[in-house]
Amino acid sequence: MPLDIVVGAQWGDEGKGRIVDLLSAQADYVARYNGGDNAGHTVTVGDQTFRLHLIPSGVIHPHTIGAIGNGVVINPATLLSEIESVRAAGVPLDANRLKISYAAHLITPGHRALDAAQEAARGGEAIGTTLRGIGPAYADKVARSGIRLGQMLDVGTFGEALQVHLLSVNQRLQELYTAEPLNAQAVIKEYLEYARQMKNYIGDVSTLLSEALKSGKRVLAEGAQGTLLDLDHGTYPFVTSSYPSAAGALIGLGLGLGCEQRVVGVTKAFQTRVGAGPFPSEVFGSIAERLRGTGEHPWDEFGTTTGRPRRVGWIDMVLLRYAGRINGLTELAITKLDILSGLEEVKICVAYKADGQTYQNLPLGPSDLGAFSPVYETLPGWREDLWECRTWESLPPAARSYILRVEELSGVPVRLTSVGPEREQIVEIA
Ligand code: IMP
């Protein structure tokens, strides 16, 4: 069945929004399956730039129907203001075009306060979360004390659930973290109003998408974050609290096994990371500044959600091979190839070294990456600006060699590369 999954092959921020935008032109449904408003997807169309955190970025194509699955955690304030901003940009978006699973969980100010308190308590061991309440919301879900969107449909029980939740949050804030308690009545009032505004959007996303797939409609599942931030398969504990990897799409949308066709792994032509945690191919100094940019362009490496400068490094094949395996990638899309233009030489991390041994693959997954140093292969760079390139043949030979080498080392065919920030600045590779 025609389910395509777009998944981040690195630590998030791979430019999935661009690839989703391209693929959603052929999709009937576009669906978010994990994470919350910790994600930031930027899509530029003409002179309009959409910065979306929660709504699937494919909805900017008016022919699609958007869905947010049970695997997502929802901050209603972000959701409602995003719906408004999409509408204000002239894209029609109402409850007929956007369905949110009744089984998705709510993020409250309580979760955000706990996120901040927990990060502060970690001190030097802080994860560097986005402070959006993501971890505490998923923790409540797993502890079976979370609040699901379906509960918003009954104002009475919703109010009671909020009451119980806020009592527990305030206890935790005061007793564990000596933090200020929240004004429960104010939060309840705010959330009852959100319930009123959101009720028409709440539905059964699993049935909606399963029926769509059965009738041959194309569904595009949009991952947020990336494989290396996956709760189980990422660089634990420096991970997010959801399942960004491809299998998360099935769980997070309520779809059965076997409906996926393409699993597209999106990777930058280099590597970036926000927040703390190991990063073997990280670079510093002038080359880092060159890869990151200064912050004056929208595509420079500063977080869409937090504005934090991203850590940068060379592309890492040990991790890309791992992402290929964990996700069952059928193809790769390489973004931001144009950023490498003008470099004398480009490096690819092909293996790791530790204790005199060389590793092509990780012996125990990516959690203990701190123990490894990178082994690089150096390729000639290219001077040419790539912004006008639209075909494989128009790419400079050195850029083509770079792509072919990534394909060879990762074992996954490269089908696309982006050569600039605009929608059409894409080279499809046959
Ligand atoms: P949390 O998801 O806010 O709990 O943050 C956990 C880790 O995931 C931190 O290192 C964040 O910087 C990282 N993270 C969360 N969302 C994103 C994203 O969309 N892109 C990149 N990193 C992210």
Side-chain angles (χ1 to χ4, degrees):
M1 280 191 280
L3 171 71
D4 295 335
I5 304 173
V6 173
V7 56
Q10 299 173 311
W11 278 293
D13 307 321
E14 298 90 351
K16 295 179 289 294
R18 290 291 305 287
I19 306 304
V20 162
D21 178 50
L22 185 82
L23 298 181
S24 46
Q26 276 99 49
D28 301 296
Y29 291 78
V30 290
R32 249 300 281 278
Y33 62 84
N34 77 296
D37 58 345
N38 49 348
H41 294 157
T42 308
V43 184
T44 306
V45 184
D47 55 2
Q48 278 184 321
T49 296
F50 294 84
R51 285 198 181 79
L52 300 173
H53 299 281
L54 209 43
I55 296 177
S57 26
V59 297
I60 63 176
H61 288 267
H63 73 275
T64 59
I65 293 186
I68 302 181
N70 55 279
V72 178
V73 283
I74 311 253
N75 176 338
T78 310
L79 178 84
L80 291 167
S81 79
E82 239 172 57
I83 292 174
E84 267 320 304
S85 73
V86 171
R87 280 193 197 145
V91 179
L93 187 61
D94 58 19
N96 294 317
R97 274 204 70 218
L98 180 66
K99 280 290 165 223
I100 311 174
S101 169
Y102 66 88
H105 278 245
L106 266 184
I107 297 181
T108 71
H111 294 128
R112 286 199 298 282
L114 283 170
D115 202 354
Q118 287 166 358
E119 278 287 89
R122 287 185 188 113
E125 307 291 304
I127 291 166
T129 74
T130 59
L131 301 177
R132 296 295 189 271
I134 305 297
Y138 281 113
D140 275 354
K141 169 177 172 172
V142 174
R144 293 157 296 184
S145 53
I147 304 176
R148 308 212 297 181
L149 258 65
Q151 288 172 265
M152 285 180 135
L153 297 174
D154 178 340
V155 174
T157 55
F158 183 49
E160 282 164 29
L162 284 167
Q163 193 78 261
V164 173
H165 162 72
L166 290 160
L167 188 67
S168 151
V169 166
N170 280 341
Q171 261 170 4
R172 283 181 273 170
L173 285 173
Q174 288 173 286
E175 289 167 22
L176 295 176
Y177 305 106
T178 54
E180 285 297 308
L182 298 173
N183 178 339
Q185 287 322 308
V187 175
I188 293 171
K189 186 162 172 256
E190 184 187 342
Y191 271 60
L192 289 177
E193 173 55 22
Y194 293 145
R196 192 186 63 74
Q197 295 181 50
M198 282 169 58
K199 65 177 189 301
N200 293 338
Y201 292 93
I202 300 170
D204 184 347
V205 164
S206 165
T207 300
L208 177 78
L209 298 182
S210 303
E211 294 297 323
L213 285 168
K214 231 192 268 174
S215 63
K217 302 272 192 225
R218 284 208 92 78
V219 177
L220 182 68
E222 299 185 22
Q225 290 85 42
T227 310
L228 300 170
L229 288 173
D230 188 281
L231 178 59
D232 280 21
H233 300 293
T235 47
Y236 190 90
F238 300 101
V239 292
T240 191
S241 300
S242 70
Y243 299 106
S245 48
L250 302 181
I251 292 281
L253 296 173
L255 298 175
L257 294 174
C259 47
E260 69 283 1
Q261 259 182 4
R262 294 168 75 184
V263 183
V264 184
V266 185
T267 175
K268 271 180 200 162
F270 49 101
Q271 196 96 6
T272 64
R273 168 163 213 178
V274 280
F279 183 170
S281 64
E282 185 166 13
V283 294
F284 303 92
S286 59
I287 183 66
E289 280 162 28
R290 173 66 180 64
L291 292 174
R292 181 184 300 116
T294 53
E296 63 188 299
H297 308 114
W299 57 85
D300 288 343
E301 296 295 346
F302 291 78
T304 315
T305 303
T306 58
R308 292 181 285 180
R310 296 182 184 136
R311 299 159 65 194
V312 293
W314 298 114
I315 196 166
D316 184 329
M317 289 302 126
V318 179
L319 296 178
L320 198 54
R321 282 193 285 272
Y322 176 78
R325 171 164 69 80
I326 290 292
N327 295 300
L329 297 181
T330 60
E331 60 196 272
L332 279 174
I334 300 181
T335 55
K336 299 188 86 168
L337 187 67
D338 54 307
I339 299 297
L340 300 185
S341 284
L343 292 175
E344 205 62 30
E345 49 187 35
V346 287
K347 292 192 182 187
I348 299 181
C349 169
V350 293
Y352 290 158
K353 263 208 163 96
D355 301 327
Q357 268 194 295
T358 304
Y359 296 87
Q360 305 296 326
N361 294 302
L362 293 160
L364 286 176
S367 303
D368 63 347
L369 285 184
F372 299 102
S373 51
V375 177
Y376 288 119
E377 187 172 296
T378 303
L379 274 67
W382 56 91
R383 301 219 147 271
E384 297 87 335
D385 179 9
L386 307 185
W387 277 33
E388 300 305 323
C389 295
R390 295 292 178 274
T391 60
W392 175 247
E393 291 72 27
S394 64
L395 290 172
R400 278 186 262 159
S401 303
Y402 177 79
I403 290 177
L404 290 173
R405 193 66 184 130
V406 169
E407 179 167 289
E408 190 173 23
L409 288 163
S410 66
V412 186
V414 179
R415 291 279 177 253
L416 281 178
T417 185
S418 75
V419 291
E422 293 297 328
R423 200 177 219 175
E424 72 280 4
Q425 288 179 304
I426 294 261
V427 173
E428 298 200 39
I429 304 166

